[in-house]
């Protein structure tokens, strides 16, 4: 049985990533079979509960207010709207709903209370609930846990070195600190990244070092292929080839043997054969739904046809961990502290982010 290691080096990971493809696939598939049922795929539905208008400058993101991408912003959805969408996702075969809000960080107040109600509502549907709401404090993580949150997503995106080339409005350490706050609760951590942002393979290995040294390693790791959206600083990046994606998935599987490795953004650019290769290489989760926050994603029926073709089945909820109990707001042990944490703002200049911002101002 492959052991979980927290001391991987970049050199070791690069050696794996660059192996002859058949050797890489064989090892990844072997580890995958030791740890997981290779014919089961966990299906998550990503729901944008608050879209656009974000103050951050993530170079890949069409929801950043400073770029002109045509994304229409929405206020926070109502609890009933979210529950209705979650029910539809459940009927479509999803075991998990991941709610995304385009926020820099969670702020105590009515909107966060509304998100907590959404978490309670989805937990009562016997689905796993995940949130991705930006940076959060320990108290906020505790309140989410008490409401019945199963997982919190907070991606590291890339290596620490390349992160500075993509985002200037917060630091890598803020990400790690948020993950640390989640770790103080019984909520599991979902954290991964994006390839195709102009980073090199050393950066990809660097990201895997950072993820693998988390202890425990993330419960799930999304591997995204950049969807280069017009108006964002990364609009001209070339699409990631399927071979890079397969290498990244296989390497992730070897380095994070117990983790659910999720094929995330960029699946519309992959053939069924390409996706099947990723499943063989160790991917065992997908995002379902026709949109991933704001970018396109394959139709749910298409995914179900692909599963049928491959003889794969969606994973049942709470297969890996028991359903968290959900405490009602009136019985909560944790109060809103009205905290104002000082998350960093390095604000170093990233030329392509500045150029996209200037272009955005002209268009607006
Ligand atoms: S990735 Fe998240 S934090 Fe960054 S701009 Fe987009 S919505 Fe904001």
């Amino acid at each position: 049985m492959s052991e979980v290691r927290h001391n991987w080096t970049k050199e070791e990971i690069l050696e794996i990533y660059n192996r002859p493809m058949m050797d890489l696939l064989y090892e990844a598939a072997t580890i995958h079979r030791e740890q997981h049922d290779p014919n089961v795929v966990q299906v998550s539905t990503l729901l944008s509960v608050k879209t656009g208008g974000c103050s951050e400058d993530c170079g890949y993101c069409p929801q950043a207010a400073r770029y002109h991408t045509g994304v229409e912003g929405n206020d926070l959805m109502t609890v009933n709207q979210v529950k209705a969408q979650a029910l539809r996702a459940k009927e479509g075969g999803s075991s998990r709903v991941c709610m995304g809000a385009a926020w820099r960080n969670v702020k105590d107040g009515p909107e966060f209370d509304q998100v907590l109600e959404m978490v309670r509502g989805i937990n009562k549907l016997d689905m796993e609930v995940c949130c991705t709401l930006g940076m959060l404090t320990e108290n906020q993580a505790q309140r989410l846990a008490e409401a019945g949150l199963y997982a919190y997503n907070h991606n590291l995106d890339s290596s620490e070195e390349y992160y500075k080339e993509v985002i200037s409005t917060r630091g890598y350490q803020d990400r790690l600190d948020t993950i640390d706050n989640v770790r103080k609760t019984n909520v599991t951590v979902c954290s991964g990244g994006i390839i195709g942002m102009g980073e090199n393979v050393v950066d990809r290995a660097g990201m895997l070092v950072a993820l693998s040294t988390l202890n425990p390693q993330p419960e799930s790791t999304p591997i995204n292929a950049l969807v280069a959206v017009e108006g964002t600083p990364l609009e001209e990046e070339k699409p990631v080839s399927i071979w890079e994606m397969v290498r990244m998935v296989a390497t992730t599987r070897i380095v994070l043997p117990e983790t659910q490795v999720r094929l995330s953004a960029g699946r519309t650019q992959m053939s069924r054969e390409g996706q099947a290769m990723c499943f063989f290489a160790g991917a065992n989760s997908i995002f379902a739904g026709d949109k991933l926050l704001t970018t396109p994603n394959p139709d749910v029926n298409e995914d179900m046809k692909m599963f049928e073709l491959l003889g794969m089945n969606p994973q049942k909820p709470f297969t890996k961990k028991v359903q968290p109990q959900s405490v009602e707001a009136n019985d909560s042990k944790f109060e809103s502290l009205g905290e104002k944490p000082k998350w960093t703002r390095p604000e170093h200049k990233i030329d392509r982010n500045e150029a996209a911002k200037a272009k955005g101002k002209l268009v607006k």
Side-chain angles (χ1 to χ4, degrees):
M1 184 73 88
S2 50
E3 51 160 344
V4 176
R5 282 180 49 195
H6 299 282
N7 58 354
W8 286 98
T9 64
K10 255 189 221 173
E11 293 69 28
E12 285 175 310
I13 294 176
L14 278 172
E15 184 276 317
I16 295 171
Y17 185 97
N18 289 317
R19 273 183 200 168
M21 181 62 88
M22 296 308 137
D23 293 345
L24 176 61
L25 281 176
Y26 184 77
E27 181 169 356
T30 306
I31 290 175
H32 187 45
R33 278 160 186 270
E34 282 171 9
Q35 302 280 356
H36 308 269
D37 182 336
N39 300 312
V40 171
V41 180
Q42 190 257 335
V43 182
S44 291
T45 292
L46 187 53
L47 191 59
S48 183
V49 296
K50 190 268 164 191
T51 307
C54 183
S55 61
E56 300 293 274
D57 77 335
C58 309
Y60 50 80
C61 183
Q63 300 199 67
R66 63 189 71 202
Y67 310 133
H68 184 79
T69 59
V71 165
E72 282 183 29
N74 297 113
D75 291 339
L76 188 62
M77 286 168 73
T78 66
V79 176
N80 282 341
Q81 283 171 328
V82 167
K83 282 202 281 195
Q85 297 234 22
L87 199 54
R88 208 168 310 140
K90 185 177 179 179
E91 285 161 4
S94 283
S95 59
R96 181 179 297 189
V97 172
C98 181
M99 295 188 280
W103 291 333
R104 167 174 167 80
N105 58 284
V106 172
K107 293 193 181 111
D108 291 336
E111 290 205 320
F112 184 43
D113 294 344
Q114 198 167 317
V115 171
L116 294 170
E117 276 312 305
M118 294 172 188
V119 172
R120 292 186 182 99
I122 301 174
N123 182 293
K124 282 192 194 115
L125 295 176
D126 295 328
M127 298 182 80
E128 297 171 6
V129 198
C130 174
C131 281
T132 182
L133 312 170
M135 292 165 298
L136 87 172
T137 64
E138 184 181 339
N139 175 262
Q140 291 162 343
Q142 295 287 8
R143 293 179 73 205
L144 283 163
E146 197 195 40
L149 193 74
Y150 185 94
Y152 194 80
N153 165 269
H154 206 57
N155 289 335
L156 293 182
D157 291 343
S158 191
S159 65
E160 182 163 11
E161 295 75 22
Y162 199 71
Y163 196 80
K164 298 187 188 85
E165 305 291 323
V166 181
I167 298 158
S168 76
T169 50
R170 56 174 188 266
Y172 210 67
Q173 191 56 47
D174 294 315
R175 307 302 276 178
L176 296 170
D177 291 347
T178 289
I179 289 173
D180 215 35
N181 287 335
V182 175
R183 287 266 186 245
K184 293 172 185 152
T185 71
N186 63 357
V187 174
T188 62
V189 168
C190 169
S191 186
I194 308 172
I195 64 169
M197 300 193 293
E199 79 290 342
N200 58 32
V201 291
V202 179
D203 293 310
R204 292 177 191 173
M207 179 181 86
L208 290 179
V209 169
L211 291 170
S212 67
T213 45
L214 295 174
N215 194 359
Q217 291 183 343
E219 178 265 348
S220 52
T221 288
I223 301 293
N224 295 276
L226 177 74
V227 177
V229 177
E230 200 181 333
T232 62
L234 299 181
E235 65 182 359
E236 283 176 10
E237 290 299 329
K238 302 272 169 302
V240 165
S241 85
I242 188 63
W243 303 112
E244 288 176 276
M245 196 65 186
V246 171
R247 283 193 180 279
M248 190 64 191
V249 166
T251 310
T252 306
R253 168 51 65 228
I254 293 168
V255 173
L256 309 175
E258 293 179 350
T259 298
Q260 302 261 162
V261 177
R262 183 168 303 126
L263 287 184
S264 304
R267 266 202 314 125
T268 47
Q269 294 155 7
M270 290 182 212
S271 66
R272 272 192 185 163
E273 293 84 345
Q275 291 180 65
M277 188 95 97
C278 288
F279 293 132
F280 186 72
N284 59 348
S285 174
I286 59 164
F287 270 130
D290 57 357
K291 269 202 173 161
L292 283 190
L293 298 178
T294 58
T295 55
N297 197 47
D299 183 82
V300 177
N301 292 332
E302 281 303 306
D303 284 335
M304 290 306 145
K305 277 190 217 154
M306 174 174 70
F307 286 172
E308 207 179 316
L309 186 78
L310 300 175
M312 298 179 105
N313 293 303
Q315 181 174 292
K316 301 225 170 349
F318 312 112
T319 302
K320 307 262 169 170
K321 189 189 140 207
V322 293
Q323 182 169 8
Q325 283 199 331
S326 174
V327 174
E328 294 301 330
N330 288 341
D331 301 324
S332 172
K333 281 197 310 202
F334 297 95
E335 290 172 22
S336 162
L337 298 179
E339 295 169 285
K340 296 209 171 17
K342 292 249 179 300
W343 300 105
T344 58
R345 279 191 190 276
E347 301 282 15
H348 53 280
K349 292 273 174 271
I350 304 174
D351 290 345
R352 58 191 176 188
N353 289 16
E354 295 295 317
K357 182 177 167 186
K359 208 164 125 193
K361 270 192 192 150
L362 283 179
V363 182
K364 282 170 194 170

